[in-house]
Amino acid sequence: MTPASLVPCLTACLALLTAGVRAENTPAQSARIKWWTDARFGLFIHWGPVSLRGTEIGWSRGEQVPAREYDELYRRFNPTNFNAREWARTAKEAGMKYLVLTSKHHDGFCLWDTAYTDYNIMHTPFGRDVIKELSAACRHEGIRFCLYHSILDWYHPDYPLDSPGGRGKKPNANMDHYNLYLKNQLAELHRKYGPIGIYWFDGEWEAPWNNERARDLFQHVRQLDPKALINNRVGKGREDMAGTTKTGALAADFDTPEQRVGKFQNDRPWESCITMCEQWAWKPNDKMKSATQCLRTLIQCAGGDGNLLFNVGPMPDGRIEPRQVERLREMGAWLKKYGVTIYGTRGGPFKPGTWGASTFNGRTLYIHLFDLKGGKLELPPIKGRIVSHKLLTGGTATVTQSPTGISITVPPSNRQVTDTILALKLDVPVDSLAPVEVK
Ligand code: FHN
């Protein structure tokens, strides 16, 4: 073979070698992730016996709650008001397309009927398989059922580190045995409740977890279900709460900014995970975000070309707090009217900011105006002509385009509290335009 003819072969080999590192833009990857990038919005649920104490799941073990006491909470966990259909309907009515439940958090408690430990929901007074019921309810409501699964496990005797917060050490741990437990439970979850839309890993940051185990787990899940999505927390390359992936690290399918709107990034999928209140698990009288804050968070994620995984923590009786259900309903009502500007769109070209955000689909560009200082916004010039415009939220706006930019004016009577949406029809596909900051 001549050197030139070697190139395609080398390229293919390189693609195979890096395939496990970054999910490349292959047709298989695009097909795998399209439902998710179109969905834009999911419900995150952190729940377990710790809700009886109203402290943070996992982290309060050995801190506010002595570990021995924390580990006995399950013996009185009896959420008799748990109604899987209600949870799934709440997600659906919120306009959410997928639901991610903590199957096992850092405290090791399992919300399903697992054969691999008795520290599970079937050994509580409640005695019902939450994951079985919720996975069935999600399928009935057309919501993708997904699982959060903690790699670290401060309860399991074979995982070397312990509470508080991983600062403890277990005397007779065996990480190889624990790794097998981890893989066996994931295979069990797939076998009993699959297909699982997303394996949302977490707890990858501690020393016992390494790149070799990460790649093995990534391949294990890919073999369980090639269609399932895997986040970048399976690996060791997450840039802390920014959630992006260090170059060369195992990146899997998407990045995971946490408790913030991710930075504009349209060359790799990402999803911000953010709490509606302040704590991931339920806390009495926790501070809750306003409807405007919740909706603007979603709009800015979509404007950055990302998803929002929005978290609630159900109460110890099995209900999602009524005020949180109401907040989700408010988001759903907005999405019923303006979801076309979020679902199936891409972010940009005007990068999000305090001014608002932009999303697009085909030749239609949606400008989401948050706070119009003086009723006017100046946007940078674009290489496309505005053919027409319409104020989707009602009333009229004045739009003038020149080589120096786009000027938008909206009279006070037509400005909305949360989001004033202007649809611009262009003479070019919007994805042909370069992303640009708004000063
Ligand atoms: O420690 C966890 C935390 O409890 C929560 O589950 C978040 C949500 O992604 N993840 C970890 C903190 O980064």
Side-chain angles (χ1 to χ4, degrees):
M1 291 173 93
T2 59
S5 66
L6 272 174
V7 169
C9 169
L10 289 174
T11 308
C13 292
L14 184 63
L16 279 173
L17 282 172
T18 56
V21 177
R22 285 183 91 81
E24 292 308 304
N25 293 332
T26 60
Q29 176 58 14
S30 307
R32 178 185 294 120
I33 206 154
K34 183 151 185 349
W35 73 265
W36 182 79
T37 48
D38 284 348
R40 283 292 183 238
F41 192 27
L43 181 62
F44 210 175
I45 299 180
H46 280 66
W47 196 41
V50 69
S51 54
L52 287 161
R53 290 298 304 266
T55 55
E56 188 56 287
I57 191 165
W59 293 96
S60 61
R61 181 178 183 267
E63 297 277 8
Q64 301 95 315
V65 184
R68 198 177 299 281
E69 184 183 329
Y70 187 111
D71 297 348
E72 292 297 307
L73 289 171
Y74 81 107
R75 296 190 191 281
R76 55 188 181 90
F77 188 49
N78 192 15
T80 51
N81 288 330
F82 169 69
N83 182 320
R85 283 283 182 93
E86 264 178 29
W87 285 20
R89 264 198 303 273
T90 296
K92 187 174 184 177
E93 287 165 12
M96 294 160 152
K97 306 297 182 184
Y98 58 104
L99 182 153
V100 181
L101 170 73
T102 52
S103 48
K104 184 198 77 164
H105 201 265
H106 310 332
D107 60 11
F109 184 76
C110 301
L111 278 176
W112 78 100
D113 182 7
T114 175
Y116 296 99
T117 176
D118 287 346
Y119 193 45
N120 73 64
I121 192 74
M122 304 312 285
H123 293 259
T124 67
F126 187 57
R128 282 162 45 190
D129 188 333
V130 166
I131 288 184
K132 180 180 179 184
E133 293 183 30
L134 189 54
S135 58
C138 283
R139 281 188 188 95
H140 184 268
E141 296 294 340
I143 299 281
R144 294 259 185 158
F145 182 72
C146 311
L147 291 174
Y148 163 113
H149 202 78
S150 179
I151 289 167
L152 70 82
D153 187 323
W154 294 324
Y155 175 88
H156 195 285
D158 280 330
Y159 182 78
L161 302 183
D162 200 338
S163 299
R167 298 190 298 279
K169 290 244 183 319
K170 293 182 189 132
N172 307 306
N174 181 317
M175 190 60 189
D176 288 337
H177 291 172
Y178 175 73
N179 203 56
L180 185 59
Y181 168 79
L182 179 65
K183 292 172 71 174
N184 283 338
Q185 283 202 321
L186 290 165
E188 181 183 53
L189 285 163
H190 168 71
R191 186 177 66 252
K192 295 182 75 165
Y193 313 108
I196 307 297
I198 302 166
Y199 288 86
W200 210 100
F201 289 108
D202 200 13
E204 82 287 0
W205 56 84
E206 292 187 332
W209 193 246
N210 60 38
N211 281 314
E212 184 189 350
R213 295 187 192 282
R215 289 176 192 281
D216 176 61
L217 188 65
F218 175 81
Q219 295 303 344
H220 174 69
V221 173
R222 273 282 196 264
Q223 280 153 19
L224 285 177
D225 183 351
K227 290 186 180 166
L229 294 176
I230 304 169
N231 70 353
N232 68 344
R233 300 189 186 191
V234 66
K236 295 286 286 188
R238 172 173 52 127
E239 298 272 12
D240 202 15
M241 294 302 166
T244 46
T245 308
K246 293 184 183 103
T247 306
L250 173 56
D253 297 317
F254 61 91
D255 288 345
T256 53
E258 177 166 331
Q259 294 292 36
R260 70 197 65 193
V261 171
K263 286 196 183 327
F264 183 90
Q265 177 180 284
N266 65 359
D267 62 349
R268 175 165 160 76
W270 61 271
E271 170 199 73
S272 279
C273 55
I274 296 175
T275 53
M276 181 188 287
C277 293
E278 295 198 332
Q279 198 169 269
W280 291 100
W282 181 69
K283 172 179 163 187
N285 309 312
D286 199 354
K287 189 164 176 285
M288 185 170 78
K289 292 175 178 70
S290 69
T292 290
Q293 285 174 313
C294 295
L295 281 164
R296 287 186 175 181
T297 300
L298 171 62
I299 295 160
Q300 290 207 310
C301 284
D305 205 42
N307 284 26
L308 172 62
L309 185 61
F310 207 40
N311 182 81
V312 294
M315 299 190 287
D317 72 354
R319 290 178 300 143
I320 297 170
E321 240 187 317
R323 62 172 182 149
Q324 296 188 40
V325 171
E326 182 51 31
R327 187 65 83 241
L328 290 173
R329 276 211 191 99
E330 288 168 322
M331 295 183 82
W334 185 90
L335 282 162
K336 268 200 179 61
K337 293 169 75 176
Y338 308 116
V340 69
T341 71
I342 302 292
Y343 301 126
T345 65
R346 297 299 304 269
F350 302 111
K351 294 181 181 180
T354 52
W355 68 272
S358 63
T359 57
F360 68 88
N361 200 333
R363 295 182 179 222
T364 304
L365 169 52
Y366 301 107
I367 307 293
H368 298 266
L369 301 163
F370 288 173
D371 299 316
L372 264 178
K373 304 246 180 320
K376 194 166 191 171
L377 179 72
E378 300 293 340
L379 291 172
I382 56 173
K383 288 189 169 40
R385 187 172 59 83
I386 297 170
V387 175
S388 65
H389 71 266
K390 181 182 179 187
L391 205 54
L392 294 188
T393 42
T396 57
T398 306
V399 179
T400 52
Q401 183 177 23
S402 74
T404 59
I406 300 169
S407 177
I408 298 168
T409 307
V410 181
S413 59
N414 297 340
R415 293 175 215 158
Q416 306 302 314
V417 170
T418 298
D419 182 25
T420 303
I421 309 172
L422 183 65
L424 304 177
K425 290 274 188 198
L426 304 188
D427 64 350
V428 294
V430 184
D431 65 4
S432 66
L433 306 178
V436 62
E437 295 285 350
V438 175
K439 301 272 183 278

